[in-house]
Amino acid sequence: MSDITINEGDQYTAIFHGGPFDGTTDTRTATSDALDDEVTVFADVEGLQTAFTYRATGHRHVLDQISVDFELVPGESDPVDDLQDRGDRTGEFDRE
């Protein structure tokens, strides 16, 4: 994916699109001499640790800063109900 030169230990900015991290950024450290093609990030959803997979869709190098765009890959992420489909779950786990 990359025609940008990066070295292990260099930092770059990840820009997330879609999912719970939509519009957020994260400073990441390169673990090899290439940009990550895919990252997995975790969020608590209804009290459960949930994995979200994001795939790199583009990158740019402006001055001394490298930025990489990551798009959510729903089929490779843990399933999560849409907010409007969650309904009222009060008492759902009560035992009789």
Side-chain angles (χ1 to χ4, degrees):
M1 174 190 125
S2 180
D3 57 338
I4 292 178
T5 302
I6 192 165
N7 298 306
E8 183 176 350
D10 289 350
Q11 292 188 329
Y12 66 93
T13 300
I15 304 168
F16 296 102
H17 303 280
F21 295 94
D22 186 41
T24 64
T25 62
D26 184 26
T27 300
R28 302 187 66 87
T29 302
T31 57
S32 67
D33 289 339
L35 293 170
D36 292 322
D37 290 330
E38 186 176 282
V39 296
T40 301
V41 290
F42 296 88
D44 283 335
V45 176
E46 294 184 343
L48 297 173
Q49 190 76 196
T50 306
F52 295 92
T53 300
Y54 286 82
R55 188 164 294 131
T57 59
H59 59 273
R60 61 195 154 283
H61 192 169
V62 179
L63 299 175
D64 291 337
Q65 180 63 48
I66 297 171
S67 298
V68 180
D69 291 303
F70 287 94
E71 186 75 33
L72 177 68
V73 183
E76 295 181 19
S77 300
D78 288 343
V80 177
D81 291 337
D82 287 335
L83 187 58
Q84 66 269 19
D85 294 335
R86 291 184 189 170
D88 180 13
R89 294 186 180 182
T90 57
E92 182 176 326
F93 300 106
D94 293 344
R95 295 180 187 219
E96 297 178 1

